[in-house]
Amino acid sequence: MKLDRRTFLAGSSALAMLPLARFAFAAATRENPIIALDADIGNLDPGNRVGTTEGNIIRSVCQTLVRFEPGKTSWTNDAAKEIKQISDTEFEFELNPGQMFTGGYGEMTAEDVKFTYDRYINGDKNGKKLAYAEDLEALKSVEVTGKYTGKLVLKHPSAALWLIGICDASGAILSKKAVEELGDKIATTLVGSGPMILKEWRPKEQFVLAANPDYKGPYKAHFQEITGKIIAEHKTSFLSYQARELDFTAFDADQLDTAKGLPDTKVIDIPGIDYTWIGMNVEKGELADIKVRQAIRWAIDVDAIIQGAYSGATSRAKTLLAPGLLGNWADAPLYNRDVAKAQALLAETGKTGLTFSFTCLNDATSLAVAQIAQANLAEVGITLNINAMDSGAYWALGAGDASKDLELSLIPYTSKFDPSFQTQWFLASQIGLWNWQRWNSPEFDKLHREGLETLDRAKREAIYIKMQQLLDESASCIWITHGRNFFVNAAWLKPMFLPNGKDWQFEFFDKA
């Protein structure tokens, strides 16, 4: 299969120029940067957020007990004046006084901390489990001991709680009064006490973050405003950047040479730790037969996808956890395309004329992946019908069991720095939410819990390798890439992100 991304895009190159006319951008200034994001806000409830766009906004608008330092996974106090560990499973905290929630919702107290974390422990007002409940699964209870003081009590020692829970968007402290008053509107209204406020949000167009004049913490925003434009295609946002309508954007690998030649521009290249894969619904029709899934895995040419959809500018993944993360399975098998094996497996099943849907995001990279997979499977007698969806509709499949009828899906997920964050989405409890494979392994679930409760690094590593082996045996996932993140920014601007390249720290964006 000879299809490179340049060839694929050639037919739509004229269309790629059109969106510039649709966006009436204000001229960027050196006071208030304008940046591009490829996904809109989906849900501003920290516990039910959809992706990185909301996570990045939430961390800048809300306080956490402790906050990640600029560009690092180490942390320092934010809402907390002091946190003391008094045993393996108990921590005492004291809040700084005078930290005010926006919207007139009053001062933050220990009751707000308890209310926030209780939602992860007990569910929302209806008892429904939060989508990100596993981030704080180690919490047993929160005790209020004074207006500004309290105690976190854990079920077990936890290596992950602070890294992916307390410090991150899941640890965003909400106003109890605001949540009770707003109800379901917390999905679209963000009340915080952090360095910034969400001043404006026009769905599918833009949002504006503004410095919070009432913020009492140590991390005051460096800009009065940051405007985020929602531009789904990196091709379009890169053109807008070249026209000086943006100060910062991600771009695609095949534009790297162009980016390096732009004046007054800095190019950022960060190896990814994320994971994009083709998931197969193990409960759906003929995909319930593991030999059919194995045949599909042998038939799809991942190397051709890397070359054709990613211009060869990213490395191929062969398992869930990226190199460099605890639990990376370095000896994971690599399924290089083997048409004969695929055909032999299909012959064993006796199934012919198979047809499946392939659901993906409606962007150039995803469509290129879909078309390569479609051509690959056609060679072994399987018809693939591509169902490309806009981001809002696509990510809405993560609620209310809307994903139950999916067959094959191209899924791009972002990673955090503890392996438990990645493994949680494959649990049985995530079926109907984010486990679109609908794969159910009691052993995997048991190991996930053991990984959360184990502090010994070597033992944790062995646990997560075993979990990936179980995933591999299920033949429910075809791993594509861990990604590579390319950005351009105006030379006067200094963006800031955590080392994964996807978690942007708007509160730390500054002048260079």
Side-chain angles (χ1 to χ4, degrees):
M1 175 69 185
K2 285 195 175 286
L3 173 67
D4 62 39
R5 190 167 181 197
R6 201 175 300 276
T7 302
F8 173 77
L9 289 171
S12 57
S13 59
L15 290 176
M17 297 295 294
L18 292 179
L20 280 175
R22 295 206 308 263
F23 295 103
F25 292 159
T29 73
R30 290 175 180 262
E31 298 301 323
N32 299 311
I34 300 175
I35 67 174
L37 299 94
D38 58 14
D40 197 5
I41 294 169
N43 190 327
L44 290 169
D45 175 354
N48 289 309
R49 64 192 189 276
V50 175
T52 55
T53 295
E54 301 99 319
N56 295 338
I57 292 171
I58 289 165
R59 282 195 308 275
S60 68
V61 170
C62 296
Q63 288 184 280
T64 47
L65 286 179
V66 288
R67 182 176 292 269
F68 285 124
E69 294 182 299
K72 301 177 182 179
T73 55
S74 55
W75 57 82
T76 186
N77 288 350
D78 184 10
K81 179 179 180 180
E82 183 181 31
I83 296 180
K84 291 192 298 186
Q85 183 171 1
I86 56 177
S87 76
D88 284 348
T89 57
E90 293 179 297
F91 297 83
E92 291 180 342
F93 67 86
E94 179 182 357
L95 298 175
N96 289 301
Q99 298 175 137
M100 307 302 291
F101 289 109
T102 56
Y105 285 104
E107 184 184 20
M108 180 193 298
T109 69
E111 285 288 350
D112 296 301
V113 178
K114 175 176 171 57
F115 173 81
T116 295
Y117 293 161
D118 277 353
R119 296 179 74 235
Y120 291 86
I121 298 168
N122 304 317
D124 64 14
K125 63 181 180 180
N126 300 315
K128 183 179 179 181
K129 182 178 179 178
L130 303 186
Y132 280 76
E134 291 294 326
D135 285 2
L136 277 76
E137 71 77 39
L139 273 182
K140 178 181 179 181
S141 63
V142 180
E143 300 173 5
V144 174
T145 57
K147 183 176 181 179
Y148 303 115
T149 58
K151 182 189 291 186
L152 308 180
V153 181
L154 278 56
K155 304 171 192 171
H156 54 78
S158 173
L161 176 65
W162 299 89
L163 191 60
I164 67 171
I166 302 289
C167 296
D168 206 359
S170 292
I173 301 171
L174 301 177
S175 160
K176 177 181 179 181
K177 181 180 178 182
V179 173
E180 291 178 342
E181 183 178 306
L182 292 168
D184 293 339
K185 291 181 181 178
I186 66 168
T188 55
T189 305
L190 187 58
V191 173
S193 57
M196 310 192 85
I197 60 173
L198 183 57
K199 178 180 176 181
E200 174 190 315
W201 173 32
R202 299 205 302 265
K204 299 183 179 180
E205 293 184 28
Q206 71 173 34
F207 64 82
V208 177
L209 291 170
N212 180 3
D214 298 321
Y215 172 62
K216 304 300 183 186
Y219 307 110
K220 294 186 184 299
H222 299 291
F223 291 110
Q224 286 303 303
E225 288 188 356
I226 296 176
T227 299
K229 297 287 184 179
I230 311 304
I231 307 175
E233 283 286 352
H234 289 169
K235 294 289 184 187
T236 305
S237 61
F238 188 60
L239 287 169
S240 297
Y241 177 83
Q242 293 176 76
R244 297 303 188 201
E245 294 162 337
L246 295 172
D247 300 304
F248 172 79
T249 184
F251 68 93
D252 292 329
D254 59 356
Q255 298 290 335
L256 182 58
D257 289 341
T258 302
K260 288 180 177 178
L262 295 176
D264 300 319
T265 292
K266 291 186 177 180
V267 178
I268 301 170
D269 179 356
I270 302 176
I273 62 169
D274 301 324
Y275 50 114
T276 296
W277 78 102
I278 297 171
M280 291 179 271
N281 184 346
V282 302
E283 293 181 350
K284 185 67 174 175
E286 304 295 0
L287 290 172
D289 188 333
I290 191 171
K291 290 186 177 180
V292 172
R293 302 197 300 273
Q294 290 171 335
I296 292 172
R297 184 165 63 181
W298 283 115
I300 290 179
D301 190 343
V302 178
D303 286 329
I305 287 173
I306 296 298
Q307 292 301 317
Y310 297 92
S311 301
T314 187
S315 58
R316 176 180 173 180
K318 58 180 181 178
T319 188
L320 171 63
L321 299 175
L325 292 177
L326 175 71
N328 170 252
W329 182 20
D331 297 325
L334 196 63
Y335 293 94
N336 291 317
R337 191 177 192 227
D338 192 322
V339 172
K341 283 185 180 179
Q343 291 174 328
L345 283 162
L346 289 174
E348 289 177 29
T349 69
K351 305 178 193 299
T352 58
L354 294 175
T355 299
F356 300 111
S357 64
F358 186 99
T359 301
C360 65
L361 285 163
N362 187 23
D363 61 69
T365 299
S366 299
L367 287 169
V369 173
Q371 290 192 351
I372 294 170
Q374 185 183 54
N376 290 161
L377 292 180
E379 291 184 34
V380 298
I382 296 175
T383 299
L384 210 57
N385 296 318
I386 299 171
N387 175 31
M389 305 175 72
D390 290 336
S391 63
Y394 177 88
W395 294 115
L397 294 169
D401 212 20
S403 61
K404 66 181 183 300
D405 292 322
L406 294 178
E407 293 180 322
L408 276 72
S409 306
L410 179 66
I411 312 172
Y413 273 16
T414 55
S415 294
K416 301 293 184 183
F417 303 99
D418 189 88
S420 62
F421 184 87
Q422 281 79 286
T423 56
Q424 68 176 306
W425 311 116
F426 299 89
L427 298 172
S429 61
Q430 285 289 329
I431 293 174
L433 294 170
W434 299 111
N435 180 352
W436 293 0
Q437 292 80 216
R438 305 182 77 83
W439 177 62
N440 184 344
S441 169
E443 184 179 359
F444 185 94
D445 290 10
K446 177 175 177 289
L447 287 168
H448 178 76
R449 180 156 298 280
E450 289 179 9
L452 290 169
E453 298 177 6
T454 301
L455 295 181
D456 183 272
R457 185 177 178 86
K459 290 180 180 178
R460 291 193 86 211
E461 184 166 41
I463 288 169
Y464 290 111
I465 289 174
K466 177 59 178 175
M467 293 174 75
Q468 290 167 95
Q469 290 170 341
L470 292 172
L471 262 179
D472 181 71
E473 291 167 8
S474 76
S476 61
C477 302
I478 301 171
W479 308 107
I480 305 298
T481 182
H482 295 299
R484 189 173 166 193
N485 305 301
F486 296 102
F487 306 98
V488 283
N489 63 268
W492 66 269
L493 177 65
K494 183 181 179 182
M496 189 62 64
F497 1 65
L498 296 181
N500 61 1
K502 293 294 180 66
D503 290 329
W504 301 354
Q505 297 174 289
F506 293 128
E507 67 275 27
F508 295 126
F509 274 42
D510 201 354
K511 292 181 180 179

